[in-house]
Amino acid sequence: MMAGSIDRILAALADPYRRATVDLLRQGPRSAGDLARALAIPAPAMSRHLRVLREGGLVTQTQPEFDTRLRVYALQPGPMAELKSWLSEAEALWSEQLAAFSAHIEAPDPG
């Protein structure tokens, strides 16, 4: 797993508006305008947040044929699965280290 990928994902999720956007998109694809209204933020701010989420690989943007001005955003499952895998590996390492420390502390004193 590439550290740069995890860094981009975490950076994209660092902002509360972007996390809220991800939560809204979990319900299904939405337009940028719908997302801005739901989060009560101006359209230019929403556009900036969506750009960061796209650059992090978390969302995709499509344009319906009937209205090329409309941008529809949807979640990409890959980056979240990658983040979940990285967190599981980190948790396993921490658990091993804590178990080793606990065993060391509880071992009888040889002297």
Side-chain angles (χ1 to χ4, degrees):
M1 197 171 313
M2 300 202 56
S5 177
I6 294 297
D7 290 346
R8 283 190 303 277
I9 295 166
L10 290 173
L13 294 172
D15 184 276
Y17 283 107
R18 292 193 289 268
R19 289 191 304 275
T21 300
V22 168
D23 287 341
L24 288 170
L25 290 174
R26 285 176 42 212
Q27 301 167 13
R30 296 177 88 159
S31 72
D34 288 344
L35 291 165
R37 282 187 292 281
L39 296 175
I41 62 173
M46 187 77 254
S47 179
R48 287 189 297 274
H49 288 304
L50 288 166
R51 180 180 43 81
V52 173
L53 290 170
R54 276 194 326 271
E55 290 171 355
L58 292 161
V59 300
T60 58
Q61 170 189 299
T62 58
Q63 293 175 289
E65 289 182 22
F66 64 86
D67 187 353
T68 57
R69 296 171 297 157
L70 183 65
R71 307 261 191 281
V72 177
Y73 294 86
L75 281 182
Q76 286 292 97
M80 293 303 258
E82 187 176 348
L83 180 58
K84 184 177 177 181
S85 175
W86 180 80
L87 289 170
S88 293
E89 291 171 16
E91 181 183 25
L93 177 64
W94 295 334
S95 294
E96 288 173 20
Q97 290 179 349
L98 286 173
F101 179 70
S102 179
H104 175 73
I105 295 297
E106 294 171 2
D109 188 8

